[in-house]
Amino acid sequence: MKLLISSVPWTDTESPIMAPALLKSMCLSQGVRTNAIDLNQEVLNYVKKKYNENESFQLQQFFYGSSKTFDSDKVIDVIDFCVNRILESSPTHVALSLLTYTSQTACEWICFRIRQKSPDTRIIIGGAGIFNTLESKVNFGQKLLEQKQIDYYIKGDGDLSLPELVIKDHATIHGVNGKQWKQLPTLNDQPFPDYEDYVWEIYANQSIGVVGSRGCVRNCTFCDIHEHWKKYQWRTGQDIFKELLWHNKKTGVRNFKFQDSLINGNQIEFRKLMKLMADHNDQNPKNKITWSSFFIFRPQSQMNENDWIDISKSASLLIVGIESLNEKVRFHMGKKFTNRDMHYCFDMCMKYKIRCHMLLIVGYVTDDENSHAETLRWFSDYSHYANNPITSVSLGGTLGILPGTELYRKQNELGITLKDEQFDHNWTIESTNNTPQKRVAWHRQQTDACQKAGFLVTSMTDNHLLMEQMMK
């Protein structure tokens, strides 16, 4: 048997997608002959070279699923490029990793074409992108299975189930063709991702993804992560640092992107990691290691000034989910930090020149005209944070009510009328006049106020490239 693992377009990024490399190392450890490629980046590179900017954009919109008009010849050309690349090593098994739902269109076409060209090849799909939402009525993996376009889909830790599935070729394995799966017993002492098959010269941003934890220590009402990861798991600072040095020695890469929901969920191990990296960078000024990650603000009692000094010696960007500038709204969300905590952390970042990208949600379920007005005032009152430390602000879209979240489960209690589960932004709370139209107006006004105060406001359909550009 021979396994080929690949990412699936379309994710707008200049960096390697980690999943195929990680799965390859796990499969090799179980004796499965495996290659791993980042087809997403290869396709982006292929399209950029072959098509003009407008044609590339039209292809992107088609594969995002946001355009029903397309040039069939160009689409078929891109799909054939993908399938020929996948089949060139004559694999017996193909595993396609979907990072997000934006990979679904390409995945469906690729699977269809593989079935035509190589009907005996076993096709497996996995990743967060195979589920529209975890408890929605539409399950992308199940749909392709019923259409016989794939043989299996995997939910959860493919680290364990993928090599076992390739070896045993049976759907009774946990996580295969169903919703039940088992998490890894530990994230420590696992094989490091193997990027040997990646075409490194095509990456504009040669950073490497790292997993320091899975799950989250928070229980935010709008987030469905606990439907993916029931238990928060973390690696020791020493184990993570060992991996960073290993990649640095093997590839020369010095910039790392943590794939965690938050890098500092386990504050004890995070502090150990920061000290290891600070010491390394002090001792190796010509080979400094840097990182970016999602990050949570904590009170001063949990993060003193010495902690911030250590962070400043290696952090390239903190992506901070403030989500609301109103403390009462933020606490309802499950964000457990006060305005005082928030300003202390921003002040520390300013003092030590630690760059932050601030994430905000417009139109939470408890938002009203008063909280909206407070948000507008905040941008003006704290305009001195613009550029240092807040290099950019993402207002995202308006709040969506996702299946699997506390907000979804408490719709009746909160007075939410969700009009269309497949369009999760279409909800209303009549008692406070919190409507889609109102939230769109708030979004426009907050964007204007934010920009007027001197902050850079960012908005992209796919934010991977955005984050990478801010890391530079």
Side-chain angles (χ1 to χ4, degrees):
M1 67 187 71
K2 185 177 182 181
L3 171 65
L4 186 286
I5 308 172
S6 178
S7 59
V8 179
W10 199 288
T11 299
D12 201 5
T13 176
E14 294 178 342
S15 299
I17 290 179
M18 183 185 65
L22 176 62
L23 293 169
K24 175 187 175 181
S25 65
M26 298 299 290
C27 290
L28 288 175
S29 72
Q30 298 302 310
V32 178
R33 192 157 52 114
T34 308
N35 292 101
I37 61 174
D38 185 6
L39 192 56
N40 177 74
Q41 193 62 221
E42 293 190 26
V43 165
L44 295 182
N45 186 63
Y46 176 77
V47 169
K48 183 178 181 180
K49 286 184 175 180
K50 185 165 184 178
Y51 297 109
N52 63 40
E53 186 174 345
N54 182 58
E55 291 169 332
S56 297
F57 178 75
Q58 289 177 351
L59 283 165
Q60 179 196 61
Q61 294 306 298
F62 170 77
F63 285 112
Y64 275 164
S66 57
S67 173
K68 301 301 181 185
T69 59
F70 59 95
D71 186 322
S72 60
D73 290 338
K74 292 182 176 62
V75 169
I76 292 171
D77 174 58
V78 172
I79 295 302
D80 280 346
F81 172 83
C82 294
V83 174
N84 291 338
R85 181 72 172 96
I86 288 170
L87 296 179
E88 71 179 26
S89 60
S90 301
T92 58
H93 295 70
V94 170
L96 301 176
S97 177
L98 286 68
L99 183 63
T100 71
Y101 69 90
T102 60
S103 297
Q104 290 182 357
T105 299
C107 178
E108 192 163 6
W109 280 68
I110 289 170
C111 291
F112 175 78
R113 199 76 170 112
I114 290 176
R115 279 285 191 251
Q116 286 185 320
K117 288 194 166 191
S118 183
D120 293 331
T121 300
R122 308 294 266 175
I123 303 175
I124 306 162
I125 67 172
I130 70 168
F131 297 91
N132 288 30
T133 46
L134 289 178
E135 295 182 1
S136 71
K137 297 174 182 178
V138 178
N139 179 326
F140 179 72
Q142 186 64 34
K143 181 184 81 168
L144 293 195
L145 183 67
E146 291 173 357
Q147 293 175 350
K148 301 186 186 304
Q149 297 300 317
I150 63 172
D151 297 285
Y152 304 105
Y153 66 87
I154 294 176
K155 176 187 176 183
D157 284 342
D159 318 51
L160 288 177
S161 51
L162 179 58
E164 186 178 2
L165 177 59
V166 173
I167 292 169
K168 296 182 178 179
D169 197 20
H170 204 284
T172 57
I173 296 165
H174 274 281
V176 175
N177 294 355
K179 290 188 175 182
Q180 301 304 315
W181 62 283
K182 293 181 180 179
Q183 288 185 236
L184 283 169
T186 178
L187 297 182
N188 289 299
D189 301 315
Q190 299 293 338
F192 301 147
D194 185 336
Y195 292 91
E196 185 177 352
D197 304 320
Y198 282 38
V199 185
W200 277 99
E201 58 267 24
I202 66 176
Y203 296 100
N205 187 341
Q206 294 189 353
S207 59
I208 283 180
V210 178
V211 172
S213 64
R214 284 177 176 167
C216 190
V217 295
R218 293 287 189 255
N219 287 282
C220 296
T221 58
F222 55 83
C223 182
D224 65 353
I225 191 169
H226 293 287
E227 292 295 309
H228 294 269
W229 313 107
K230 302 292 185 184
K231 176 183 176 183
Y232 176 68
Q233 293 178 297
W234 45 268
R235 293 169 63 189
T236 65
Q238 182 63 53
D239 192 56
I240 296 171
F241 185 62
K242 180 180 176 182
E243 178 180 347
L244 302 184
L245 293 183
W246 185 83
H247 285 305
N248 176 246
K249 183 177 180 180
K250 191 175 180 68
T251 67
V253 169
R254 295 187 289 121
N255 193 23
F256 296 89
K257 292 170 55 181
F258 281 84
Q259 310 292 305
D260 308 33
S261 297
L262 39 88
I263 191 175
N264 58 332
N266 183 323
Q267 182 64 14
I268 294 174
E269 293 302 325
F270 174 71
R271 184 177 286 119
K272 291 177 182 177
L273 176 61
M274 290 301 100
K275 287 189 177 299
L276 287 167
M277 295 181 73
D279 290 344
H280 170 86
N281 288 348
D282 285 343
Q283 295 167 21
N284 299 273
K286 294 183 179 180
N287 187 33
K288 289 186 176 181
I289 292 175
T290 61
W291 58 272
S292 65
S293 180
F294 290 98
F295 188 91
I296 52 173
F297 279 174
R298 294 179 180 273
Q300 185 174 358
S301 61
Q302 297 178 22
M303 290 189 68
N304 59 45
E305 189 160 354
N306 287 331
D307 291 325
W308 288 105
I309 292 171
D310 285 340
I311 292 170
S312 72
K313 293 183 178 182
S314 59
S316 63
L317 182 71
L318 307 184
I319 305 164
V320 186
I322 299 297
E323 311 306 359
S324 176
L325 295 169
N326 176 281
E327 186 176 288
K328 186 176 180 180
V329 171
R330 200 164 57 245
F331 268 75
H332 191 280
M333 290 176 168
K335 295 283 182 180
K336 300 179 181 179
F337 56 89
T338 64
N339 285 346
R340 181 179 180 181
D341 299 332
M342 176 176 67
H343 293 131
Y344 161 73
C345 292
F346 277 138
D347 288 342
M348 286 291 99
C349 289
M350 175 186 282
K351 182 175 182 178
Y352 294 106
K353 294 181 172 53
I354 302 169
R355 299 191 304 162
C356 299
H357 175 63
M358 181 167 69
L359 305 176
L360 295 174
I361 292 174
V362 178
Y364 184 67
V365 296
T366 59
D367 266 319
D368 55 23
E369 290 294 348
N370 291 329
S371 62
H372 169 60
E374 181 179 341
T375 299
L376 299 181
R377 288 194 301 271
W378 190 95
F379 292 128
S380 176
D381 293 345
Y382 293 93
S383 60
H384 59 282
Y385 285 151
N387 300 315
N388 179 27
I390 302 176
T391 56
S392 53
V393 178
S394 175
L395 291 157
T398 59
L399 176 72
I401 309 294
L402 299 175
T405 65
E406 184 177 337
L407 294 180
Y408 185 86
R409 291 189 289 270
K410 292 185 176 180
Q411 291 176 62
N412 293 336
E413 179 182 332
L414 294 168
I416 298 171
T417 301
L418 182 58
K419 298 182 179 180
D420 184 355
E421 288 193 23
Q422 296 304 310
F423 184 60
D424 47 47
H425 295 266
N426 191 9
W427 58 272
T428 297
I429 298 179
E430 292 186 5
S431 61
T432 58
N433 194 31
N434 193 335
T435 66
Q437 294 77 18
K438 176 72 71 174
R439 293 191 293 277
V440 169
W442 286 345
H443 189 284
R444 183 176 60 253
Q445 293 163 20
Q446 289 180 24
T447 299
D448 290 344
C450 189
Q451 291 176 325
K452 185 177 180 180
F455 294 94
L456 172 65
V457 178
T458 58
S459 179
M460 292 178 68
T461 306
D462 187 324
N463 68 5
H464 290 80
L465 181 58
L466 171 65
M467 300 302 182
E468 291 157 17
Q469 291 173 340
M470 290 184 294
M471 286 165 54
K472 295 179 179 178

